[in-house]
Amino acid sequence: MSSEAEPITRIGIPGERLLERASAVGQRVVAQPRRLGWRRRLVVAISITDAAVVLSALLVAQLLRFQTNGFRASTPQSDLAYLTLTAAIAVGWLVALSATRSRLLRNIGTGLVEYQRVVNATFLTFGTLAAVAFLFQIDIARGYLAVAFPLGLVLLLLGRVAWRGALHSMRRVGRCTTGAIIVGRPDDVARVAGELRRKYRVGYRPIGATYAGTSRSAKRDEIDLPAIEFKDLAATSKRTRTRAVIVAGDLPGGNATIRRLGWDLENANTELILVSRLTDVAGPRIHLRPINGLPMVHVDLPQYSGFAHALKRVFDVVVAGGILLLLLPLIAGIAMTVRLTSVGPVLFRQERVGVGGSRFTMLKFRSMVIDAEARLAELQSRNESDGVLFKLKDDPRITPIGRTLRRYSLDELPQLWNVLIGDMSLVGPRPPLPAEVDRYEEDVNRRLLTKPGITGLWQVSGRSNLTWDESVKIDLYYVENWSLTGDIVILLKTARAVVGSHGAY
């Protein structure tokens, strides 16, 4: 902790002349617009999309249940009753989406909280409906609910994914971002500014910095941000309509300094954000519990068994079985193509390491020549991986049809069988080879605390373009922070990544 006497200082540019001097030295604090119209427009657009999705799902459910194949299975009276029920459910559903704060701006565009709240609102709506129907003996057709509930949930999530994609596209070119002034020591400012610039999807754009401490630091010269002295911070924030002040790490004076900064920013329509020193911990695992002025941060420890994991298993079996049945013609076509275009078996079997270090045989459509394993040694010198994996973008062992299968991850479809029999999960860390596990460092073994997956965060974060360290970090993050809602989101993102074939070879 810093000394109480250590001040928060400036780098010679008073707040009153900040805009002019920053421009003269090639830096500038970007003044924010008087009204951040994009915020309101985004929330309104998502609200309209939610309403359209909810109404569409409920009306489709009514149509499929009562008027299919030209056969009218209802009377005008029942049609009117179900239209009234549809309107009531729609209103309740939309109210639940608002009540769970699923459209809270700081949750839109990044993380899983937005999707989790959409799921919670949906379960709340239909749970309340079930309770009301039971208490008042209301007979509701199960077929109607069986269509409305899953269809509405999937469409709501797809709508949020679509808007998130649009928002990311705009943020990629600098639009729809919130200007932020970062307060802290030079090292902390540099770390936070670098992360915000790399992770533009979060939506905060560094536009200025206030440095803590009197000592000079080489980091100050590396940070391409105009400096603002602490006493001018609130005034500068108001004048430039900066909407966020980010406190990075500890400040001289401790909590008293942060409290005074909060007072100075009152009525400024500015967010005050404290960057936590907790790393690789997802938001849902962090809980703030203020007790008599003492803010206590609770961190839930990861769990690797129990009801949530049993529910994950049920989800895996249902979804994998459904996908297998749906794609059976495609799977048969791929099998025939592999058989006719190259010598060797249709399926490639390889021993992999599963949960807890167990061994299992993973199935894939064969995408390489039959003697691929024997030829691996002669290619080791061309390995493009920086870790224990072997990666070669132009691997000569890959067959022509295999290259297409790999590009769209079609070679992995037989792994749905591995999911059904319990060796793998739909979502999880990448299934490693025994030789890779033998070279793991101690921390990396935590990847084996859960079942490997057909897809995972590694699949939607760059696939083969990831470095070894990046792959490990992503897998460990998933192992400790997984949730069923997160798995659903990863599956949706996987579909997009597969279609784009980014990083696949």
Side-chain angles (χ1 to χ4, degrees), residues 165-389:
L167 182 61
H168 289 170
S169 296
M170 288 185 282
R171 284 178 172 170
R172 187 179 296 113
V173 295
R175 299 175 58 193
C176 298
T177 59
T178 300
I181 297 173
I182 306 173
V183 185
R185 300 180 185 281
D187 288 351
D188 290 328
V189 171
R191 174 175 58 88
V192 172
E195 286 296 311
L196 292 180
R197 285 167 173 162
R198 282 191 296 272
K199 300 176 181 178
Y200 64 88
R201 295 178 178 180
V202 175
Y204 291 100
R205 176 166 43 89
I207 61 173
T210 296
Y211 298 101
T214 56
S215 59
R216 293 291 302 180
S217 169
K219 281 289 184 183
R220 288 188 175 183
D221 300 325
E222 298 174 10
I223 303 170
D224 186 25
L225 290 174
I228 308 164
E229 57 182 308
F230 187 76
K231 67 183 181 63
D232 292 326
L233 178 56
T236 302
S237 174
K238 294 175 183 179
R239 187 175 64 255
T240 61
R241 288 180 169 79
T242 301
R243 291 297 185 260
V245 172
I246 301 176
V247 177
D250 299 327
L251 296 183
N255 293 335
T257 300
I258 297 175
R259 182 168 60 249
R260 184 165 298 279
L261 178 59
W263 292 343
D264 292 341
L265 293 173
E266 285 179 353
N267 303 318
N269 195 24
T270 300
E271 295 180 86
L272 179 60
I273 303 170
L274 308 181
V275 176
S276 172
R277 288 187 175 273
L278 292 170
T279 58
D280 296 328
V281 179
R285 287 177 55 205
I286 302 174
H287 309 279
L288 180 62
R289 184 186 178 195
I291 301 179
N292 295 329
L294 178 65
M296 300 178 66
V297 177
H298 293 253
V299 180
D300 292 340
L301 298 178
Q303 301 295 323
Y304 304 107
S305 61
F307 176 77
H309 281 264
L311 190 61
K312 178 181 174 72
R313 176 61 183 153
V314 172
F315 177 80
D316 283 344
V317 171
V318 171
V319 175
I323 295 176
L324 270 175
L325 290 175
L326 183 65
L327 299 183
L328 196 58
L330 175 62
I331 292 173
I334 293 174
M336 185 177 298
T337 303
V338 172
R339 169 69 74 178
L340 295 176
T341 55
S342 63
V343 177
V346 170
L347 293 178
F348 173 71
R349 294 173 170 84
Q350 189 174 52
E351 186 181 51
R352 296 290 179 114
V353 180
V355 61
S358 61
R359 305 292 179 92
F360 71 97
T361 301
M362 189 185 74
L363 303 177
K364 298 178 70 173
F365 280 123
R366 184 175 55 80
S367 60
M368 290 187 172
V369 294
I370 193 171
D371 61 341
E373 292 292 304
R375 294 172 58 183
L376 177 60
E378 65 187 59
L379 297 173
Q380 285 290 350
S381 60
R382 298 168 57 187
N383 187 9
E384 298 173 356
S385 171
D386 60 349
V388 303
L389 301 177

